[in-house]
Amino acid sequence: MLNIIRGMILAGVILLLAGFGVIYSGVYSVAADTPHNPLTYWLLETLRERSIDRASRPLDVPDLNSADWLLAGGPDYNEMCAGCHLRPGKTYSDMSLGLYPVPPNLTAGLDEHEHADDDKQSLARRQFWIIKHGIKASGMPAWGKTHDDQRIWAMVAFLQRLPELTEEQYQILTARDKAGSGHH
Amino acid sequence: MKTISTAVWVLVSGIAFSALANAHDPSEHAAKGESPDCSAMPDMHQASMNASDPVMQAMMKKCAEAMHGNAKDQKQDQKHGSAHKDDSGHHQTSGGHDDGDQHGH
């Protein structure tokens, strides 16, 4: 029993030293044009997904199914997000090619399997949380520092419909009228 | 686990430096003050779009505003017209603003 414990402690120490060795040696590439190895990728992805899932669970999703949400969220998306997350008719940008992790193409539908209401709610929560708080060490900024919750929910509403939009529909919905006109 | 989480943090902050510089590059921001290009609206009506659908309602709202807007709006419409395909020329004429802009209704 004692031997097993000793062995485990030793293994832990070796692993720790090896880990620090890897870190200090500088062999691990942090270049954005070199993908992570599968282990690091898994660690980061799992860390991110678990964290977002936990943090976003308590959020209440408003009813986003209305034209006004879309009209509020469209121009914001076009100006702040399309450079990284693309828009209908655009398949890449400097950002979408250069950033790592890659900004997901938000005009592509998610997994096309069933859209159960529950899924839709948790997706909306997740998107709201990510837009508001951003994701550490990725290009995804925290927009909550400069935008209130209403504007962020409006972008979530827009994201829900974005994959179906044609280029023409997208242009109409996202055109930002000059201040003053267009607010009745 | 310590190693791994340390490694995660080191890697994570390393990547932050490479990614965040890009995050603030304004070059991809679209120009503001664009007018909606509503000339395609009639086609969309015919396509199987449902008038109770929020996307359709939002487009109709936007285009109603653009079409019944004031003369200033229409001038902006003209300026941006050349940037859009399928304008069928009516934006170029300096006279009949009204005719041109009601085209899509």
Side-chain angles (χ1 to χ4, degrees):
Chain A
M1 195 58 200
L2 202 66
N3 275 343
I4 293 177
I5 293 173
R6 272 202 194 129
M8 280 170 68
I9 291 173
L10 189 67
V13 170
I14 290 171
L15 238 142
L16 206 71
L17 288 176
F20 278 116
V22 168
I23 291 166
Y24 284 110
S25 70
V27 294
Y28 197 94
S29 173
V30 295
D33 56 2
T34 313
H36 283 304
N37 67 47
L39 176 67
T40 316
Y41 185 88
W42 178 85
L43 284 168
L44 292 172
E45 167 126 333
T46 308
L47 181 78
R48 182 190 58 202
E49 290 309 313
R50 298 301 305 145
S51 171
I52 294 168
D53 189 51
R54 179 168 175 271
S56 65
R57 206 171 298 150
L59 290 171
D60 284 326
V61 184
D63 180 7
L64 298 174
N65 198 31
S66 91
D68 289 332
W69 281 116
L70 296 175
L71 289 175
D76 272 353
Y77 177 85
N78 190 41
E79 285 158 18
M80 305 192 298
C81 323
C84 286
H85 292 292
L86 305 174
R87 58 182 138 92
K90 223 171 166 217
T91 52
Y92 66 91
S93 70
D94 286 355
M95 302 288 182
S96 78
L97 293 181
L99 280 176
Y100 188 88
V102 175
N105 178 356
L106 296 179
T107 70
L110 306 129
D111 317 333
E112 284 300 348
H113 56 251
E114 78 268 24
H115 288 285
D117 264 4
D118 203 34
D119 276 352
K120 217 175 158 187
Q121 293 279 306
S122 65
L123 178 65
R125 274 197 290 271
R126 176 190 149 84
Q127 290 182 329
F128 176 88
W129 191 92
I130 292 173
I131 297 167
K132 180 165 178 171
H133 299 283
I135 297 181
K136 270 195 184 70
S138 79
M140 180 60 193
W143 299 90
K145 295 195 173 184
T146 44
H147 298 80
D148 62 23
D149 287 3
Q150 287 287 305
R151 272 179 91 180
I152 295 173
W153 281 121
M155 285 190 277
V156 172
F158 186 76
L159 289 184
Q160 291 185 341
R161 304 307 302 271
L162 178 58
E164 316 156 30
L165 299 182
T166 65
E167 282 178 60
E168 290 79 11
Q169 291 172 327
Y170 178 88
Q171 197 280 334
I172 293 171
L173 290 181
T174 60
R176 169 92 68 197
D177 323 47
K178 280 270 191 273
S181 74
H183 292 283
H184 300 301
Chain B
M1 217 47 211
K2 178 92 189 291
T3 313
I4 291 170
S5 53
T6 313
V8 167
W9 281 113
V10 170
L11 297 169
V12 151
S13 40
I15 301 155
F17 289 115
S18 62
L20 285 181
N22 288 338
H24 296 284
D25 187 332
S27 64
E28 280 281 343
H29 282 218
K32 301 192 179 184
E34 199 182 347
S35 302
D37 176 8
C38 295
S39 56
M41 277 289 279
D43 302 339
M44 294 178 203
H45 268 299
Q46 284 156 22
S48 57
M49 284 219 66
N50 177 351
S52 66
D53 181 66
V55 168
M56 196 64 199
Q57 288 171 353
M59 287 195 301
M60 292 196 305
K61 228 168 155 175
K62 198 97 179 196
C63 287
E65 281 164 7
M67 281 179 245
H68 304 303
N70 55 30
K72 203 167 108 245
D73 279 346
Q74 290 169 7
K75 253 214 212 98
Q76 284 159 12
D77 214 32
Q78 275 197 324
K79 224 184 285 160
H80 287 280
S82 53
H84 303 302
K85 58 181 164 95
D86 132 57
D87 261 338
S88 57
H90 61 263
H91 283 296
Q92 267 90 357
T93 54
S94 56
H97 295 207
D98 291 337
D99 296 337
D101 284 316
Q102 258 145 38
H103 162 89
H105 201 38

